[in-house]
Each structure stands twice: as structure tokens, then as C-alpha cells.
Amino acid sequence: MKKLLNTLYVTQHDVYLALDGDNVIARCDDETLMRLPLHNLEGIITFGYIGASPALMGACAEKGIAFTFLTMNGRFLANVVGLEKGNVLLRKRQYRLSDSEEGSFAIARNILIGKFHNSRWVLERALRDHSLRIDAEQVRHSAHQIAKATDLLREVQTLSHLRGIEGESAARYFAVYDELILQNKEAFTFDGRNRRPPLDRVNALLSFTYALLMHDISAALCAVGLDPFVGFLHRDRPGRHSLALDLMEEFRAPLADRFVLTLINNRQVEPGDFVQKENGAVIMKDEARRTVLTAWQERKQDQITHPFLKEKIPWGLVPHAQALLLTRHLRDDLNEYPPFLWK
């Protein structure tokens, strides 16, 4: 099992990263703000456009440190990768299955079974814990409809049908997501998913958290030798991490969406932590972004018993576990890909 180390987040837009010996240093103008040994890092995520030195990017690629560039509001720009790890036969198998409707369908269906299961249990937990504070009938109806959609997944035979069912299920889930927000309801109202740019505080938090999750899953896939750009549910598109988006589906509800709810309901973020731009985009202020990043790292340390492996591991290692299980399936060590079923 891959050891969970640390991720360096650089949130100041005017910071330049460079290499000094075996250390990464952060500079602003002529001042050195931070120095950190590279061997203490598993990943670097930088928000903004100033950039990093080629020497640092090369060292990260050589040492297998995931280096991701995001915009200030969390939209993916680029990442740095080194020599591909893993067996070339594994990737060739991945590419063949991705090109095959039948091969892609079997994996994509199991991924969506995991997504639907996890989405439903987020709603079921809300009913269990807060039934007197939410519209229980509406939430229960959505959970029931998602359960029925799970049964439909086992009946259809094409990827297009899977995607259609997934779209309907996601709409039912997000239709009641606002019910799960229990604090600052007027400021943190959710009327549906919007992005590029996010137009309200809740969507700003969701987009930001999804970007962090995307980084972690892409790094996990690269670590086991898979190509994060070649997926089964999400089809190939230049620059899109299709396989990372595939695996993200299982984690959006139980990890990212619940994390955002915790931030709001525990008042770790407040209405004043956001600003609205002239184009309507809503983004977090720097201090709020640091609060969210700290809470995200803490959440990844929380322990969970993996439902398939039956081992206790941190949340931060669950994407690595799923990436390993996917490779075992691609190598025919497992008859099918076992999705992550949270409860």
C-alpha cells in the first residue's frame, strides 16, 4: 500500500516555486517564503499563473511527485509527469478495453453502481441524522429513485444508456442537495450545479474540492501505471483526465460533497469568505482557501474500513486502493472491477 505523505498547496498567486538542492523553495519577489525537502512531499498543487522552474518540475517528475497547476478558483490547467511507471502490457490492456464498447461497459457500469450506492447513502444518512430539519419526504423520494436507477444499470446493455441513467440520477441527487445544508441557508443556497465559472458559494466550494480530488485520483492512477487520460465511462477528449473522472464518480458524494456540507454546516466557511467577480463568478478569498485546504488534508487522514479489502486505511488512500483494484482487474486477477461502496 502506498504511504500517505503530504501535499504542498501554494495559494498565493504571486509565488514562484524553484529548486534549491533537494528542496522546493517558494519565492515572492526577492523573498524566500518557505523551504521544504522534496522527500517530504507526495504532491504539489499551485493556484495561479506565476509558475515553477523547469529544474523543480524535472525533479518532481523524476521523483514521482505529482505537480498540478490550477487556476485561482480551482480549474485544472496542467500537470507534470515523468517516465511512465508500470507494465506496458497493463496500459495496452487499458487502451484495448477503452476502445471496446463491451470492455468499457462492464467497468463503467460497476463504477456507476458505486456512485449510485454512495449518493443514496449520503441522503440516507441525512434522513437518519437530520430528519426533523430537512424535507424528509423529498429526500427519501430521491434516495428511492436512485436505488431504482441502480437496478436499471443491471438491465441496460450500452454505454449511452448508462450515461443517460447517470444523468437522471445526478439530477435527482442534486435536486435535494440544498436540503442537506443546515446553516447559513440564505447565503449558501444551492439551486443546481453550475461551473466554469461557479456562480454561487456552494458551487465554488464543490468545484474547488472536485479539483483537489481530481489531483489525488490522477496521482493514484499514475502511481500504479495507468493512463489517467484514457477512461471507460468518460470518453477520450484532448486534455481531459477521463479515467480520473471515471473513478471520481465513486468519491464525489461520500468524500467531496459531504466535505463541502461539513464546511458549511460547521461554519468553517462563512458568507464573507467569498467574492463575486464582474462576470458573475464566485471564488473564495485566500484565507478561506487555506482553511479549506487544511480541512481537506485533515479529512484525508480520517480512517475508514475499505469495504472490499476489509482493511482500515485513511480516506486519502482510498483512491490508491481503487486504482490498485482496477489494475488487478485489467490483469485478470479479479473477474470484475469492485467499486467503492461506502456506508
Side-chain angles (χ1 to χ4, degrees):
M1 186 63 67
K2 188 178 178 64
K3 183 181 179 182
L4 184 65
L5 298 173
N6 294 318
T7 300
L8 170 65
Y9 297 95
V10 181
T11 60
Q12 290 181 233
H13 70 279
D14 54 353
V15 167
Y16 183 78
L17 299 178
L19 184 68
D20 183 12
D22 288 329
N23 303 295
V24 55
I25 59 174
R27 290 175 177 163
C28 182
D29 296 327
D30 295 327
E31 181 183 359
T32 298
L33 305 178
M34 182 216 64
R35 177 185 302 270
L36 192 65
L38 282 178
H39 68 260
N40 286 343
L41 294 176
E42 185 182 55
I44 298 175
I45 301 179
T46 179
F47 298 85
Y49 303 94
I50 297 298
S53 71
L56 175 62
M57 290 188 283
C60 289
E62 182 180 352
K63 296 176 182 297
I65 299 172
F67 201 144
T68 302
F69 296 89
L70 306 175
T71 66
M72 290 303 294
N73 63 0
R75 183 170 61 84
F76 175 83
L77 288 175
N79 63 356
V80 177
V81 296
L83 292 174
E84 303 295 354
K85 300 179 181 179
N87 193 321
V88 65
L89 298 179
L90 174 64
R91 289 205 170 203
K92 290 179 71 174
R93 170 72 168 164
Q94 177 188 356
Y95 300 148
R96 285 196 297 269
L97 286 179
S98 178
D99 286 338
S100 163
E101 173 88 9
E102 181 181 356
S104 293
F105 176 85
I107 297 174
R109 180 171 60 185
N110 281 12
I111 286 172
L112 290 184
I113 287 173
K115 175 180 182 175
F116 289 10
H117 173 95
N118 296 337
S119 298
R120 180 168 62 90
W121 275 105
V122 167
L123 302 183
E124 295 283 358
R125 279 206 173 190
L127 288 168
R128 183 194 69 185
D129 298 337
H130 307 293
S131 60
L132 298 180
R133 302 180 64 184
I134 63 178
D135 187 335
E137 182 178 352
Q138 187 178 5
V139 173
R140 188 175 293 108
H141 177 72
S142 290
H144 178 66
Q145 291 299 313
I146 293 172
K148 289 175 62 177
T150 306
D151 296 332
L152 286 178
L153 291 176
R154 298 183 172 91
E155 298 176 5
V156 300
Q157 299 296 326
T158 66
L159 282 170
S160 60
H161 282 132
L162 287 182
R163 296 188 185 104
I165 296 171
E166 189 277 331
E168 294 174 1
S169 177
R172 294 188 181 103
Y173 170 77
F174 279 122
V176 296
Y177 189 71
D178 186 67
E179 289 294 323
L180 311 188
I181 299 172
L182 307 177
Q183 300 289 340
N184 283 325
K185 290 284 289 187
E186 292 185 1
F188 290 96
T189 298
F190 183 79
D191 293 324
R193 187 79 178 101
N194 57 67
R195 57 197 182 100
R196 297 182 183 177
L199 302 177
D200 56 70
R201 297 178 180 90
V202 179
N203 274 290
L205 287 167
L206 287 172
S207 292
F208 189 79
T209 305
Y210 289 161
L212 299 178
L213 182 58
M214 168 71 81
H215 166 89
D216 292 344
I217 293 176
S218 293
L221 292 168
C222 289
V224 299
L226 292 172
D227 187 339
F229 291 91
V230 179
F232 305 105
L233 176 65
H234 294 84
R235 307 316 293 164
D236 296 346
R237 181 184 299 173
R240 182 164 77 172
H241 289 207
S242 295
L243 185 58
L245 287 172
D246 285 357
L247 289 194
M248 270 186 68
E249 298 296 351
E250 301 172 42
F251 299 109
R252 289 182 188 270
L255 183 52
D257 297 350
R258 288 180 68 240
F259 172 73
V260 168
L261 291 171
T262 298
L263 291 173
I264 298 171
N265 291 338
N266 288 352
R267 294 184 178 270
Q268 293 173 266
V269 292
E270 297 288 348
D273 290 330
F274 300 80
V275 294
Q276 187 169 30
K277 299 295 186 180
E278 292 182 357
N279 65 350
V282 175
I283 63 173
M284 283 181 284
K285 296 178 180 178
D286 287 346
E287 187 59 36
R289 191 178 291 111
R290 286 190 284 271
T291 297
V292 172
L293 292 171
T294 299
W296 178 250
Q297 288 297 84
E298 291 174 353
R299 174 61 61 88
K300 286 163 60 177
Q301 299 290 338
D302 290 346
Q303 295 284 315
I304 183 174
T305 299
H306 192 282
F308 184 81
L309 300 176
K310 307 301 182 185
E311 295 181 23
K312 268 199 168 184
I313 59 175
W315 262 111
L317 282 185
V318 178
H320 292 276
Q322 292 306 120
L324 287 170
L325 290 172
L326 180 56
T327 63
R328 290 182 62 186
H329 169 60
L330 295 178
R331 292 188 172 115
D332 293 324
D333 295 331
L334 292 172
N335 290 333
E336 59 181 352
Y337 167 70
F340 176 73
L341 303 176
W342 172 79
K343 191 171 181 180

